[in-house]
Every structure is written in C-alpha cells, then in structure tokens.
Amino acid sequence: MTDTTERTIAPGALRETVSAILRAAGSAPDEAEQVAANLVLANLSGHDSHGVGMVPRYVDAVAEGGLVPNASAKVLLDIGTMLSLDGQGGYGQVVGVQAMELGMARAKQHGSCIMSLAHAHHLGRIGHFAEMATAQGLVAMHFVNVLSRPVVAPWGGGDGRFGTNPCCIGVPLAGAEPFVLDFATSRVAQGKMRVAYNKGERVPPGHLIDEHGVPTDDPGVVVVPQGNGLFGALMTFGEHKGYGMAVACELLGGALTGGGTWHRPADTARSVFNGMLSVLIDPGRLGTQASFEQEARSFVDWLRQSPPGAGFDAVQIAGEPERRARALREREGVYVDGATWDELVAAGAKVGVTVG
C-alpha cells in the first residue's frame, strides 16, 4: 500500500523547506541555504542517505548541543603545504567547504597540501569536496572517520565497533567530467539502511548482522533498537580488505587529525562528528600535467572500449551515476518517502516551522 505522505518535490522547494527548518534551529540565512543546497544536491545525486533525511538528526543534534550553528573552521596550523583545522562542531557542509577552500589555495600555491579537519559535525557526501577540487584541476584524496554510534562490525567480529568511515578520490580528466570515487567502507552507508527501513524494504544478503551477530536482511537492526535494546551492525565491503580500509580511515581521519577515534560503548547522542585527512595535488606543479592528461584519458577510453558484460549496458566511470541522477531528478523532482517526510514535518514542528 502506498504511503499517502510520500511525494516528489521540486529541488528548489525542497531547499526552501530545509533552509527554513535550519534557520529556525539557529542558523544564519547564508548557512541555512548552504547546508540545504548541499543536502538537496546529495538527493539529486542519488544519495538520499546523505540528503534531506539528515535534517531531523541535525535538529536534534543542535538541541543537545553537539552541533553548533554558525561555527567556523579554526586554523590551528598553516605552514603552506600542511594545514590543521578544527571544525568546532559546526555544520560539516560549511566548515568542510571552508577547509577545502584553504587547502586548495595552498595546493595551487605550493603544488600540494595535506589538510586535516577535526571536530566537524557530519560532513555529508564526501564526493562534494572531491568535486570542488577536481573543478580546479586538483587531484584529491580524502580519508574520513565517523564518531557516532558504532554501526560497522570488524572483519571476524559480531557487533558494531566503528562507523562507515568513507574514502574518496577525485581525479580531473582533461576535456571530460572527473573521476570521483566516493564510498563507505561498509557494504552500504548507514543512511541507506535508514532509507530502506523507512520504505519497508529488505536488503541483499551479506550486508548486515543482527544484534546476536547472525546474518539478516532486515535494515531495521541498525536503525532502531531491537528487543534487548541492542543494535545489529553493517558488514564491511570486500571482507578483510574493506575492514582494513575502514581502520585506515579511522587512524588517518580520526587519530592523525586530532579528532579522535571511537573506543567506548555506544550512547544515544544524535550528533555525528567527522575527522577528515585530505591530500590535494596540483598535477601542473608536479611536472606531469601533459602526460597525466594524455594517459588518464587514454586509460578511460580503453576501459570504455570493453564490451558490456551480462546485465550491463556499458562500462561506467566513478561519478557518472551521480551526474545522470542529477540530470534526471533536476527535471523530475526528488522523491521523498512517507516516513522521511513525516520525520521532516516533525523536525520542523520542534523548531516552530510548519512543513506542508
């Protein structure tokens, strides 16, 4: 049976709705618009897990004091080729952009920059930062940890011990759209399980274990407490390989940045903090610009010459599905399932905004 509250909304109207809620929660108009635009862009890109469905959690995080509206990234160290910044609990969509703007300027000046950002509230879709870099002709690598309820099990483990810890790599391609590889080190993002649960869907085998460590296809085990008050956990992609990458992201994005790692029992806090280590490289300053452009394009062209495998129309390059989704959803609108819409309405009510 179709939920009568589900709807498809024009991107502009959705941005206005989200912005109104964030303003009422304490954000200045510019900040509210920037965060709203980022969230809706995630929906447009096909990543509903990082889109407007995060707003209810943000409203709660502001209320509990973990998310600080109108905070800015604070520079702790700037030696040109290295930057260390503290997000001071601000919206990741804002302090992350501020950090990237500084890092990209330094990479343009010096040829490269290693930039660390600690204590940012939820950074959202990390691919956004890689797209910022590739738009300026820079190569970008991002390693991120997640300080929130631990939802991913270590390889060989039976409960959640860390977050979805994303990794992202962006590479500009001369005369073409960039390569943007953006993935959680879990089989899927936690937010995708929230979306599946809200839609009443099951998930494929191999994604989840329940609160007893037993495989399950019920996304609810990582969204709502089970009968004993415990949660299940997501599995890492690629077995021990994804697990190793997740640990690397925790050590680089958390320990090295100064933001901290997760090593305590779970709590019920709604805030989500990220640490991010970024490496930005200007190929022009590296001295390989011409060969880089030629070889990168030649390799991508070579990949595309592969005949489609069974069940596929063509070989794709990372970043293409997001760009196709944007074109489609900009034209047709953003679908919001009934449960997510109800949560948005409730979030608005908490701050005195009527969402209709």
Side-chain angles (χ1 to χ4, degrees), residues 48-303:
D48 296 318
S49 56
H50 291 67
V52 300
M54 291 300 302
V55 172
R57 186 157 191 172
Y58 290 176
V59 169
D60 290 346
V62 170
E64 72 184 19
L67 171 53
V68 183
N70 309 310
S72 297
K74 179 181 179 181
V75 177
L76 304 178
L77 171 76
D78 182 356
I79 61 171
T81 56
M82 298 185 78
L83 280 170
S84 175
L85 300 104
D86 190 308
Q88 302 191 102
Y91 278 98
Q93 293 88 347
V94 174
V95 298
V97 167
Q98 292 171 347
M100 281 297 296
E101 287 174 342
L102 286 171
M104 291 187 301
R106 299 300 182 274
K108 287 286 191 179
Q109 180 181 359
H110 301 287
S112 65
C113 181
I114 298 173
M115 183 268 290
S116 71
L117 174 64
H119 308 125
H121 197 265
H122 187 236
L123 286 165
R125 189 178 68 91
I126 307 304
H128 177 67
F129 304 120
E131 289 168 353
M132 288 178 63
T134 56
Q136 294 199 25
L138 300 173
V139 172
M141 293 172 276
H142 308 274
F143 305 90
V144 182
N145 82 322
V146 183
L147 297 181
S148 180
R149 178 171 60 84
V151 295
V152 185
W155 174 243
D159 67 354
R161 292 281 152 166
F162 48 85
T164 51
N165 292 7
C167 177
C168 181
I169 299 172
V171 182
L173 299 175
E177 296 287 354
F179 170 90
V180 179
L181 178 66
D182 180 17
F183 61 92
T185 48
S186 53
R187 284 287 299 270
V188 290
Q190 164 71 3
K192 293 189 186 299
M193 295 299 93
R194 170 178 50 78
V195 172
Y197 174 73
N198 285 346
K199 290 182 177 180
E201 298 174 348
R202 311 299 279 192
V203 299
H207 285 63
L208 299 164
I209 55 174
D210 66 16
E211 69 277 19
H212 304 295
V214 177
T216 180
D217 64 355
D218 177 11
V221 300
V222 293
V223 179
V224 295
Q226 302 304 292
N228 54 11
L230 299 175
F231 288 87
L234 294 162
M235 305 299 290
T236 56
F237 81 86
E239 301 177 335
H240 61 285
K241 297 178 182 179
Y243 167 50
M245 179 63 78
V247 173
C249 287
E250 191 78 23
L251 297 176
L252 297 175
L256 188 58
T257 64
T261 61
W262 189 278
H263 44 78
R264 59 183 173 83
D267 55 36
T268 59
R270 296 283 279 168
S271 299
V272 182
F273 295 103
N274 291 136
M276 178 169 70
L277 181 74
S278 300
V279 180
L280 304 170
I281 302 169
D282 184 349
R285 298 294 298 277
L286 191 62
T288 61
Q289 185 75 51
S291 61
F292 165 64
E293 292 180 356
Q294 178 180 341
E295 290 298 321
R297 285 299 305 276
S298 294
F299 180 64
V300 169
D301 290 343
W302 167 252
L303 293 176

Side-chain angles (χ1 to χ4, degrees), residues 7 9-19 21-22 35-44 47-59 93 122 124 194-195 198 270 329 334-337 339-345 347-348 355:
R7 59 200 63 207
I9 308 173
L14 193 55
R15 281 189 287 267
E16 290 175 6
T17 296
V18 172
S19 181
I21 295 173
L22 297 180
V35 176
N38 182 283
L39 293 173
V40 174
L41 180 60
N43 287 107
L44 289 172
H47 295 288
D48 296 318
S49 56
H50 291 67
V52 300
M54 291 300 302
V55 172
R57 186 157 191 172
Y58 290 176
V59 169
Q93 293 88 347
H122 187 236
R194 170 178 50 78
V195 172
N198 285 346
R270 296 283 279 168
R329 293 186 175 192
V334 176
Y335 169 78
V336 180
D337 65 84
T340 298
W341 183 256
D342 290 344
E343 290 170 359
L344 277 173
V345 171
V355 176

